[in-house]
Amino acid sequence: MVKLELMRKVKEIRTIEKKNHVKQNNTSFKLNDVRQLLIDGVQLVSSEMWVNFIQHTIKEEDKMWDIEFITDEMLDELDPTSQHVLTITGETSTNSSD
């Protein structure tokens, strides 16, 4: 799961970096120029940026694992014969017609 999330983050960061580079440097709006700007944008991602992205992704993944373990422990402690009621408060509306 960590690898999948890491791959998603890397792709997201690369896309953002490329788009920002193109946005800031596109003056001709010609397809070949934009393509070259995209290629240049990929080269702008430094090794320090990669390290930061990876560290951030690992921290977020650790948080999700912690939440999952806490949730599992809470569910394990519940009495399987008890009923649980979900109470919804506040305004509710529907878009369907009766």
Side-chain angles (χ1 to χ4, degrees), residues 76-91:
D76 288 345
E77 292 174 6
L78 293 175
D79 179 9
T81 61
S82 65
Q83 292 185 349
H84 305 284
V85 177
L86 176 64
T87 304
I88 300 174
T89 61
E91 280 190 42

Side-chain angles (χ1 to χ4, degrees), residues 15-94:
T15 301
I16 291 169
E17 195 64 33
K18 288 186 290 188
K19 285 181 179 179
N20 285 340
H21 180 71
V22 171
K23 183 179 175 181
Q24 292 172 356
N25 296 289
N26 188 12
T27 55
S28 70
F29 300 97
K30 294 180 181 175
L31 187 57
N32 285 335
D33 293 342
V34 171
R35 187 180 72 176
Q36 186 59 49
L37 287 171
L38 287 171
I39 292 168
D40 296 343
V42 171
Q43 302 302 320
L44 293 175
V45 179
S46 68
S47 58
E48 182 180 338
M49 290 171 78
W50 282 107
V51 169
N52 289 337
F53 302 145
I54 292 168
Q55 288 174 345
H56 174 74
T57 301
I58 290 170
K59 285 180 188 176
E60 292 301 311
E61 185 73 19
D62 288 344
K63 287 180 192 177
M64 294 298 114
W65 279 113
D66 289 343
I67 291 170
E68 182 177 343
F69 289 133
I70 291 169
T71 304
D72 285 346
E73 287 175 5
M74 290 174 61
L75 291 173
D76 288 345
E77 292 174 6
L78 293 175
D79 179 9
T81 61
S82 65
Q83 292 185 349
H84 305 284
V85 177
L86 176 64
T87 304
I88 300 174
T89 61
E91 280 190 42
T92 59
S93 64
T94 180

